[in-house]
Structures are given as C-alpha cells and as structure tokens.
Amino acid sequence: QVQLVESGGGLVQAGDALKLSCAASGFTLANHAVGWFREPPGKAREPVSCITADGRTFYTEYAKGRFTVARDDAKNVVFLQADGVRSEDTAVYSCAAEYSQYGSSYFAVMCRSRDFTTWGQGTQVTVSS
C-alpha cells in the first residue's frame, strides 16, 4: 500500500525548533520529488518547501532562512525542520510525493500542490506564544 505518514507535530513554544518527518511505505522516495505544504486555520493550503529527487530545494519566501528540507533516501524519509517557530506557523503540515526523474529541476523552481498525487494525512503544529 502506497502511503506517506507525517510525524513530529504537536504543541511548541514560539522560538523553538521543530522537526517534521515524512515517511514513505509501499514505494521508494528515491525517484520522487517531495513537497511540504501547510494549511493554517481558516486559510487555504500553501507550499512551504519542495525537494527534488537529487536534493535540490525550493522554499517559499516566508520559509527561506527558517525552514530546511532534507531527504534520507536510505531511510525513505524526508524531513522539514523549522527554526524559531512563530504563531503564524500554526497549521496542519502535509507532505506529498510525485515521481520525478533524477536530475529534473522542475520541483526546484515550482512547488505547487496540484503537481503532487500522493499525500500524507497531515500533522498538526500549534505554536503558542
């Protein structure tokens, strides 16, 4: 069964660091781009970061300098680290995967939810001030 499972969410204090994981089962992430998206309360889903199959990254403007995406293909996991979280980072965070040929730069310049077909169920992150 093809599945993505996010973990690492919860209640955190403003200013703390947070590390989310996206674990794949039923398929290998090694030939997939992975995206992280979030849905703040009452708002539409928005991209956070994407990482290509060969490790190139894309960050939205608000994520630059505070969020870091990384992949460990040997463990079939992609991570999203957030440093200095803020109340506005409160959201449901979801990861998504899409087959992408190794060397393709598409997801290094485009990070759109509509380009991904396999999604996790999401993990809630709540930042208290």
Side-chain angles (χ1 to χ4, degrees):
Q1 181 182 3
V2 172
Q3 197 173 13
L4 290 172
V5 178
E6 302 93 340
S7 60
L11 178 64
V12 294
Q13 296 287 327
D16 284 353
L18 179 71
K19 189 172 186 178
L20 304 178
S21 299
C22 172
S25 60
F27 71 106
T28 177
L29 282 175
N31 54 356
H32 287 69
V34 175
W36 281 97
F37 300 86
R38 71 183 189 182
E39 188 170 340
K43 297 183 179 180
R45 183 164 58 193
E46 59 188 21
V48 180
S49 177
C50 283
I51 185 166
T52 66
D54 60 0
R56 284 173 284 175
T57 57
F58 172 96
Y59 296 96
T60 54
E61 283 302 312
Y62 70 78
K64 290 178 181 177
R66 288 200 305 124
F67 288 78
T68 303
V69 63
R71 60 191 303 149
D72 186 339
D73 289 340
K75 296 182 179 179
N76 224 22
V77 179
V78 172
F79 304 99
L80 181 70
Q81 170 127 2
D83 297 315
V85 295
R86 305 165 181 168
S87 57
E88 55 264 38
D89 294 324
T90 293
V92 176
Y93 286 73
S94 299
C95 63
E98 183 66 21
Y99 175 80
S100 180
Q101 193 169 25
Y102 195 89
S104 170
S105 62
Y106 181 82
F107 290 99
V109 296
M110 299 293 286
C111 190
R112 305 179 303 181
S113 58
R114 62 176 179 261
D115 288 329
F116 292 88
T117 55
T118 301
W119 287 82
Q121 82 290 347
T123 185
Q124 175 71 48
V125 172
T126 302
V127 181
S128 63
S129 56

